[in-house]
Each structure stands twice: as structure tokens, then as C-alpha cells.
Amino acid sequence: MRPRLSLRLNLTQRLALVFAGLLLLCSGASAWLQVRSSRMHEQEVVQGLSRDLAAHIAAQAPLMDERGPMPGAVRRLFGQLMAVNPSVEVYLLDNDGRVVEHAAPQGHLVREHVDLDPVRRFLAHAPLPITGDDPRSPARKVFSAAPLRVGDRDAGFVYVVLLGEAHDRLAGLDATGNALRAALWSIAIVALLCLAAGLMAFGLITRPLRHLAEAVRRHDIDDATATALLVDERSPDAATRDEIAVLRAAFSQMATRIGEQWRRLSRQDEQRREMVTTISHDLRTPLSSLHGYLETLLLKDGQLDAAQRRRYLEIAIEQSTAVGGLARSLFELARLEQGFVEPQMETFQLTDLVQDVFQKFELVAAQRQVVLSARFDEPVPPVEADLGLIERVLTNLLDNALRHTPPGGQVQVALERISSEPPASVRVTLADTGPGIDPARRADLFQRPFNVDGARRGGGLGLRIVHRILALHGAEIRLLEAQGAVFEFALRQAPAAGRATSSPPAPPPEAPTS
């Protein structure tokens, strides 16, 4: 098969072709109207000047008597008139419009009957020009007409064709006069000037579109901000009707937004890879230890006494527990970040929850020689939140504080009612006397843990889970500037809690420092 050629034109060329076609069509219509109006004007002038010609002929010359037309007189008079003005043709019609006398050469008549309706409109002084039948031509011509009376009766009509056969022959030699030619030339020149101006205008109008198309073609998703700078960054006025300016501004905003989203996705992808690396490292340590102790038990089972065997098993169980806890934290964080967790709101007392969490950590605190203490306002109103999720928040924060507080230190939880700013809430503050948080890690403490250039960034999985749970409650956790690590967040007070007057339970006993 032969390849099919396709003519590919850009927008400017297509607009130019459409404009040229419309201009040619309009020019042709204008020329046709010019010719038509010129002819109608000529007919109107000629018919207006010769309106009374037929009436003058009927009044001045005897053309009929009681016996009918007078052939000799009619032909003689008609011949004299046509000699003076060769463009006129005179006819004598009866009352039915039939041609009864004329001065035309033999065989020149193409019709012997004239439609009388235009004649009656002419006699009724209808607006000019009025065209009627020409006995010598199929075309319709302007005429002059007058009734012819013999005695007291209507004998017929004097019918004068004003632009007759001689005029048609002369007009055929030069179809358009000088004035008409000048008008047509002027139309052609104006059309060419309009075409040139239109092409220039289309070039100027489509130049921003070409610039925008070039920016789209050169768009680089890795440097979308630079691409946006290729487009005019000035935002169009709200009342502007310049669609190109609106499109340009929209593309600039879209390019900037795509760049930001691409960088955010790239950053998240990098953090995800770093997180996988970090988690793999965190899993490798307890798994290696677990594998080593189990292998030792397998290879040296006969050489170990009961105490050594028990010690190795306890270490293996401890490492297995660490691996299980890490796996659970990863699963919980994934569910939180994927939106699979919906908080089930209920009303409860934070004081009771703090005591329950303290009881879970009493033995751990005693082993680490850390004192757990609580400080409550009087009274502490109930809050509205998900009890299980908030327990998870306090558990993670206490576990983190105990692991970073040296022996002899203290971990304190404080509950304080806040009613100065709506909505009323309860502030929870958890402080420890440990070394605190490295200032370099404070900014991204609650982000995903990952490594950058060998340095650990972000907090642990527990802090990330705390941040996500509180975000589900519309709350935000903050790290305060203080000695040690001080975390603070607020939970919304239950709707009917403003009228609660019950006194808080006694704070939990301090854990022994052994």
C-alpha cells in the first residue's frame, strides 16, 4: 500500500486558512451585493427619471381609435422615440396584456403577452424599482407604463421598456463600468489588507500558546518549578477574560504542584527504603542473638548445666519477644497510616487509665530503679476519646521514658484541665529525668525512623504510632524544651464533663526504687 500523505498544520496555520476562507467568502458576497446594488440603483434612477414617459406618449399621440390600433401612426411614433433614445422599446398592450403593436424587427419578439401585475403596481406608485416582462428578452426590465383610453373606455396600455435590447448589447461589451470596477478593486485591496492584518493578529494571539506549548514540551517533572518559571507567573486578575492568561497561570500552578508532589513522593519513597533498611537492621540483631543461643543449646546441650541452659533459653525468649514486639509495632503503624483504624469514641476518666497503665509498669520501674509519680488537677473532667488507643499512647510514652531514664530517676504524668480556650480539654504531660532528646532530632522526632549518612533520624516506631493515634483524635503531641524529655498533648473534654464535680482518685503509689 502506498503511504497516505497527511498535511499537518499548526494552530496558527489552521486559523489562517479558516480566516482566509471566511474573508474570501465575505469578499465574494460583498462584491455580489455591490454589483446587485449598483444595478438596482441604476434601474431605480432610470425608472424614476422616465416614470411619466408612457403617460406623455399616451397623452400626446393618437395611438388607437374606435376601430383599434393605428398601425402606421404607432410604428412611426415608436420609431421616432427609439431613434432619439435607442435603449427604450415601446409597445401597445390591450387590457389583457397582449402585445397588439410594436416596432420590433420581424422575429425579435420572444413573448406576446406581458404580465400586468407589475404594471398595476407601477400605476399604484409602489416603491421603485419595479421590473416587468420584456417582450424581446426572457429577463425582466424596468419600464414605464400608462393606461390608454379611447373615449370613455380603457383601450389598453402604453408599455415602455427603459433598458431594452440595444442597452443589453452595449452592456455586454463591458459588463462592468469604471465605477463598478473601482468598487471591486477596492474590495479586493481591502480583503488583502484584512488578510495580512488577520495573519499578524493570529500570530500575536497564538504566540502565548506557542510559548505555553514549548513549556509543556520541555516540562521536566524533576524540575517542575523551573518549568513553571518558563510561563508568566503573574496570576490573571479575577475579572480578566483572557483565557490564554488563565490557562498559562493554571499550567504554572499545575507544574509547581506536580513538582512539589513529585519531590514529596520521592522523599517518601526514600524514607520508605531507609525505613526498610533500618527495620531490617533492628530485626537482624535480635534474630542473630536468638539464632546464636538456640544453636548453642543444640550443639552444646550435653555440656551445659541446668542453670546455663535456663539462662540461654531466657535470653532467647527475650529476643523472640523483642522481635514479636517490633513486628506488632510495624503492623500497627501500617494500619494507622493506611487509614484502617477508626477511633471508637467513648467517655472515660483519664485518672483511672493512668493508674491502670502505671500498674503495668510497676515491676519494670522497680527493676530499673525509676520512680513513677502522678499529678492530677482537682477535679479532672472525663474526656471523649478511644480508650484502647489512648492507652496505647500512654503505654508507648511510658515505655520510652523508662528506657531512657537512668536509675534513680523519675517519670511523672500530669493531668490538667484547660478551659481558657474552646474547646475545653485535658492536658496530659509526661516528663522524665533522662538525658533528653538530641536537638538535631527534635524536628523529625515523630516521623518515620530512617538513616541518613549513617545517622539515625526520626523517633522510634512507638513515637510514630503515638503521633498517628493522636492525629486521629485531632490532637497534636509536642516535645517541650525542658530538662529531660517532656511530651505534652491534649484530649477533648467530654460534652457533659463541664458539670462533673467528682473528686479525682488518689494518685498511684510510687514504684519502689529497690
Side-chain angles (χ1 to χ4, degrees), residues 270 274-275 277-278 281 449-457:
E270 181 181 357
E274 293 290 344
M275 182 179 178
T277 303
T278 303
H281 179 270
F450 61 96
N451 292 327
V452 176
D453 298 330
R456 180 67 175 257
R457 298 290 179 87

Side-chain angles (χ1 to χ4, degrees), residues 376-400:
F376 300 155
D377 267 1
E378 296 185 5
V380 177
V383 297
E384 186 178 34
D386 188 304
L387 178 60
L389 293 180
I390 299 303
E391 181 181 4
R392 178 64 165 162
V393 167
L394 294 175
T395 299
N396 285 4
L397 291 176
L398 275 174
D399 178 69
N400 183 74

Side-chain angles (χ1 to χ4, degrees), residues 51-74:
R51 174 183 284 274
D52 298 328
L53 178 59
H56 179 76
I57 294 173
Q60 297 297 325
L63 301 176
M64 276 191 178
D65 55 16
E66 295 295 337
R67 294 190 300 264
M70 303 169 62
V74 171

Side-chain angles (χ1 to χ4, degrees), residues 252-270:
S252 179
Q253 296 173 2
M254 181 192 68
T256 303
R257 191 176 301 114
I258 288 176
E260 294 173 353
Q261 292 176 350
W262 176 256
R263 287 189 295 274
R264 187 181 303 113
L265 289 174
S266 299
R267 196 161 51 244
Q268 291 177 354
D269 184 64
E270 181 181 357

